[in-house]
Amino acid sequence: MTIDPGHTAERLRADTATDFERFIPLVFHWANRLTRNHDQSMDVVQDVYLKWNQQCRRGAPDRPEAWLRVVTTRRVFELMRSPQLRVVNRELVERSAGSHDGPVRPGPDSDLLRDDVLQSLGRLTEMQRNVVLAKIMDQKTFAAIASDFDVSISTIKTHYLRAVRVLRETLSGRWKDQ
Amino acid sequence: MPLDCEQMERMLADALGDELSDSDRQEFDAHLEACDACRAEYQSLMKTLNITRDRLSGADVMAERPDRRPTTRIRRTSGWALVRYAAAIAIAFGSGYAMRAIRQADIEPGPIATNAGAAPETFQERLVIAHQQAPHASSFAKSMLAVMGSAASDSRGLSASRSKGGG
């Protein structure tokens, strides 16, 4: 039986597109909880979809949900670190300083930079961030997270505890001022 | 048997992750009541988690839904792609212009009817000299030489060809 490569490629595209469709709400949900911006979240969904297609050409991920969570959060924090965002923030701060009408209302991009929780999460290592976000956003157990990343439960707990301590360093100023 | 601080440290991740069993939870809470240091540590870490959890939640954020499907067509053109396109267009125009200039000049190696010793004034004259100096160069290179006026500096070659041809 001969296999038509064109048909196979077409079928692969259809499969990966269909597979990703069922994850769109989840990817969007993760991105939106982090960015709190609808348009940026849709951009993240688009970027994650392209990476999903690239990955599926090599072979679909064994644990697609875990893979998508990692890629989604990575993309959000790459967006946060982009030079364009720093330029936007510097301009907003300068305008705000010179304004006689009060502080300029920050746009969605600068919200990312002024968001101390997001900044704190950005200081974590990728593994620490993945564990904390899996726990907080998806209420996963340590055992489930360990299974997703193929590591021991004690390793996951160590990452989790270290991550919360790093977050505390940045966020402790909040309740000291209260 | 009451827990010590070292045992508390080992249970801290489970306590923060809400994965302590009921019996462990009772022992954990009992130690917290007795130990100020462990209690302060636990409370500060719980506050941190609560702040983070609150930030990542919110009814407005949770209620939003995606409004379009992603596509494999890349809508944004990268900056480098634009640079490549612009360079290709510039080279195409440059080559075309040079070819047109050479055809108009009707280049043949020979004397130029100008004043002896005078520098080439027109682009056509410089193009002829560029051809004389570098007959095997590409049309584009010759036109570039003519534009830069580099052939005008070789006055010896120009004078020699003019005196040969006479008046």
Side-chain angles (χ1 to χ4, degrees):
Chain A
M1 185 178 87
T2 56
I3 298 172
D4 178 7
H7 174 73
T8 304
E10 195 58 44
R11 185 169 162 274
L12 176 65
R13 275 196 291 275
D15 282 349
T16 56
T18 308
D19 281 346
F20 188 78
E21 276 218 24
R22 61 192 173 96
F23 289 116
I24 290 174
L26 197 54
V27 172
F28 175 83
H29 184 66
W30 289 324
N32 202 33
R33 288 177 77 173
L34 289 167
T35 64
R36 301 180 84 88
N37 182 281
H38 187 277
D39 290 339
Q40 282 173 349
S41 303
M42 286 310 306
D43 285 345
V44 170
V45 169
Q46 173 66 50
D47 293 338
V48 170
Y49 176 58
L50 293 175
K51 291 196 185 299
W52 170 265
N53 275 340
Q54 285 174 2
Q55 176 63 39
C56 286
R57 281 192 207 107
R58 295 191 291 268
D62 293 334
R63 299 181 182 93
E65 198 175 304
W67 186 92
L68 285 169
R69 191 192 310 110
V70 170
V71 173
T72 302
T73 55
R74 188 183 295 157
R75 186 68 194 112
V76 168
F77 286 94
E78 282 171 1
L79 184 72
M80 192 182 82
R81 292 189 196 105
S82 70
Q84 289 88 346
L85 281 184
R86 284 199 284 276
V87 169
V88 167
N89 188 50
R90 189 174 66 239
E91 286 172 357
L92 279 171
V93 168
E94 286 166 358
R95 279 163 55 197
S96 177
S99 170
H100 296 292
D101 299 327
V104 174
R105 186 178 179 282
D109 287 341
S110 66
D111 280 345
L112 287 179
L113 292 170
R114 293 166 193 256
D115 189 326
D116 50 359
V117 172
L118 213 60
Q119 294 287 324
S120 306
L121 287 167
R123 291 179 58 197
L124 300 175
T125 65
E126 188 166 308
M127 192 61 184
Q128 288 170 351
R129 188 162 53 240
N130 289 329
V131 171
V132 161
L133 291 178
K135 207 76 179 87
I136 292 178
M137 291 207 295
D138 296 335
Q139 286 85 48
K140 287 198 160 243
T141 63
F142 290 129
I145 300 170
S147 170
D148 283 344
F149 290 103
D150 207 20
V151 296
S152 67
I153 297 176
S154 60
T155 301
I156 294 297
K157 289 181 185 179
T158 302
H159 283 305
Y160 183 68
L161 198 50
R162 282 186 190 156
V164 180
R165 284 183 165 138
V166 171
L167 292 176
R168 181 180 58 182
E169 284 173 18
T170 319
L171 297 175
S172 60
R174 273 216 196 182
W175 65 76
K176 277 182 187 168
D177 292 338
Q178 287 167 1
Chain B
M1 191 171 173
L3 299 172
D4 59 25
C5 295
E6 203 175 306
Q7 288 171 309
M8 285 290 286
E9 177 70 14
R10 283 197 291 272
M11 294 169 73
L12 198 49
D14 286 322
L16 293 171
D18 201 22
E19 291 193 26
L20 279 179
S21 62
D22 290 341
S23 58
D24 285 345
R25 187 83 223 182
Q26 283 178 357
E27 289 179 339
F28 188 85
D29 288 343
H31 182 88
L32 284 185
E33 280 182 29
C35 178
D36 293 341
C38 288
R39 186 170 61 247
E41 174 77 353
Y42 175 72
Q43 285 177 348
S44 66
L45 292 174
M46 274 308 297
K47 259 188 191 170
T48 303
L49 278 175
N50 289 336
I51 289 171
T52 308
R53 201 173 283 120
D54 289 344
R55 160 59 183 82
L56 295 177
S57 305
D60 53 340
V61 172
M62 306 293 272
E64 284 198 48
R65 296 288 179 268
D67 58 2
R68 61 181 185 269
R69 283 201 183 115
T71 172
T72 51
R73 261 178 279 136
I74 298 171
R75 284 168 291 194
R76 294 188 299 270
T77 305
S78 71
W80 281 115
L82 287 173
V83 169
R84 283 198 295 269
Y85 293 141
I89 290 168
I91 289 169
F93 269 111
S95 302
Y97 180 75
M99 287 302 298
R100 187 163 169 265
I102 288 168
R103 275 195 224 109
Q104 283 175 348
D106 192 22
I107 292 172
E108 282 183 14
I112 300 170
T114 60
N115 295 328
E121 289 179 0
T122 65
F123 175 80
Q124 195 169 342
E125 290 173 350
R126 288 199 291 273
L127 203 54
V128 169
I129 291 169
H131 178 76
Q132 288 172 343
Q133 288 192 326
H136 299 297
S138 67
S139 305
F140 183 72
K142 287 175 198 168
S143 62
M144 288 296 105
L145 285 172
V147 167
M148 288 186 298
S150 58
S153 64
D154 192 356
S155 56
R156 274 183 296 173
L158 178 61
S159 302
S161 64
R162 283 173 187 166
S163 61
K164 240 189 192 177

